[in-house]
Amino acid sequence: MSSRRSRQQSSSTRISDDQIIDLVSKLRQLVPEIRDRRSDKVSASKVLQETCNYIRSLHREVDDLSERLSQLLATIDADSPEAAIIRSLIN
Amino acid sequence: MATMTNTERSRDGKRRRKKKVGAEGHKWKSQAQQQIYSSKLRQALARVRVGGAERRGKAVREAADRVLAVTAKGRSRWSRAILRSRLKLKFTKHRNKKRHSRSHSKKPRLSVYRLKGKTAPVLQRKVRFLGRLVPGCRKEPLPVILEEAIDYIPALEMQVRAMSTLVNLLAASSSSSTQ
């Protein structure tokens, strides 16, 4: 095969099923949808699906917060007397 | 310099062990990490002043992501990808070079890593989806995508916490100033 296998793979080139199962279970702990379900029979497909949904919802939250932050920054710029005080809070 | 003391060697070993997945997740939960992120974010936001409303929202998002990647100290693929993507905008030549080097490993390695049996096309599709969501993981094999996601999700959660706190702080101070 190609000797390029040994590039930046951190562990061995052959990943065992156990390692993958371990990774999936770690992922399961992170996603609240699945973690609170208290069932041991969550399929890998479900874990992946919920992970995707969770990351997407987190992205949406960050977008939302970014919008609000930008609006707040705009209002701060508008009011000049208080701006100095608030800017000191930020910096 | 020639001889490493025992403590140095053990520290190196610890650092190497810390690189494994799982230990990374805890650092995003620490208050110290959130403080670091918040202060870096505030500094970056102070520089995002100009531009219309639409541009500013996007600029804030980009700044927040960049600061998150910086806080990650480039130890994960997703953080390095975020930092790289800013360079890609300026240097497209750099991007083409990256494409070429990746084409050697373009064969889908997914069939090699079986997930409790054969990897069904459904699973492959989901993993690809996940790979697209996590920055820099579009063409990575399954275990890499999983590892990156395991670090990326706590980082995102911390980002949300830090930005919410900042929004509340600014909203409170700006509303009290208008009273």
Side-chain angles (χ1 to χ4, degrees):
Chain A
M1 282 262 189
S2 58
S3 55
R4 292 189 192 273
R5 273 286 178 93
S6 55
R7 43 173 187 122
Q8 71 261 38
Q9 293 288 356
S10 52
S11 46
S12 64
T13 51
R14 231 168 328 151
I15 308 287
S16 67
D17 274 357
D18 277 340
Q19 252 171 302
I20 295 192
I21 293 174
D22 188 43
L23 287 176
V24 171
S25 70
K26 283 207 181 90
L27 204 51
R28 205 155 79 193
Q29 294 304 313
L30 291 176
V31 181
E33 264 297 309
I34 312 175
R35 181 182 57 208
D36 305 331
R37 209 165 283 203
R38 297 257 170 258
S39 152
D40 240 1
K41 299 197 186 100
V42 187
S43 71
S45 161
K46 185 80 172 159
V47 173
L48 289 176
Q49 183 69 54
E50 292 301 328
T51 305
C52 288
N53 294 342
Y54 189 47
I55 292 185
R56 263 201 302 234
S57 79
L58 285 175
H59 279 169
R60 275 199 300 266
E61 255 193 278
V62 173
D63 271 334
D64 206 38
L65 288 168
S66 299
E67 275 302 320
R68 289 170 66 187
L69 259 183
S70 79
Q71 281 164 14
L72 284 169
L73 286 177
T75 54
I76 288 174
D77 275 338
D79 310 322
S80 36
E82 291 82 7
I85 306 172
I86 296 175
R87 235 174 266 145
S88 68
L89 273 174
I90 301 180
N91 292 332
Chain B
M1 193 69 89
T3 57
M4 259 169 72
T5 62
N6 267 345
T7 46
E8 280 178 352
R9 206 174 294 135
S10 68
R11 209 186 324 135
D12 257 346
K14 243 187 252 167
R15 207 174 290 145
R16 241 177 280 128
R17 251 182 276 135
K18 261 208 176 123
K19 205 175 183 267
K20 273 216 162 9
V21 186
E24 299 276 344
H26 294 303
K27 76 169 190 223
W28 292 114
K29 294 215 171 88
S30 72
Q31 191 68 328
Q33 193 74 318
Q34 193 170 326
Q35 296 285 13
I36 295 175
Y37 177 73
S38 297
S39 73
K40 285 203 168 97
L41 179 61
R42 277 183 241 149
Q43 286 169 27
L45 288 179
R47 291 195 289 267
V48 177
R49 294 299 197 163
V50 294
E54 270 187 36
R55 282 281 343 165
R56 206 171 33 229
K58 280 209 183 76
V60 170
R61 171 78 204 261
E62 283 167 14
D65 283 346
R66 184 174 36 90
V67 174
L68 189 64
V70 167
T71 309
K73 298 206 181 103
R75 278 203 211 108
S76 50
R77 265 189 187 77
W78 63 261
S79 61
R80 291 194 294 269
I82 291 180
L83 295 173
R84 264 200 312 266
S85 69
R86 290 173 58 82
L87 292 176
K88 272 187 191 173
L89 288 174
K90 300 181 189 172
F91 307 113
T92 44
K93 247 190 290 180
H94 191 247
R95 179 185 197 166
N96 287 335
K97 232 202 296 180
K98 273 226 168 330
R99 281 261 174 88
H100 182 66
S101 68
R102 283 257 191 264
S103 67
H104 285 296
S105 53
K106 212 184 29 183
K107 293 248 167 69
R109 292 237 179 118
L110 230 46
S111 51
V112 178
Y113 306 115
R114 284 170 319 153
L115 196 61
K116 294 178 190 165
K118 291 207 185 71
T119 310
V122 165
L123 274 184
Q124 277 192 31
R125 211 172 352 125
K126 291 195 202 282
V127 172
R128 286 262 173 266
F129 225 83
L130 188 58
R132 278 206 296 267
L133 283 177
V134 181
C137 292
R138 201 173 296 183
K139 292 179 184 167
E140 298 292 338
L142 170 66
V144 172
I145 295 182
L146 292 182
E147 279 183 12
E148 289 294 313
I150 288 174
D151 186 60
Y152 189 49
I153 290 181
L156 278 181
E157 289 172 341
M158 187 221 65
Q159 185 181 34
V160 166
R161 279 199 303 270
M163 289 175 79
S164 310
T165 306
L166 194 54
V167 163
N168 293 336
L169 179 69
L170 288 181
S173 58
S174 70
S175 69
S176 64
S177 70
T178 50
Q179 273 168 5

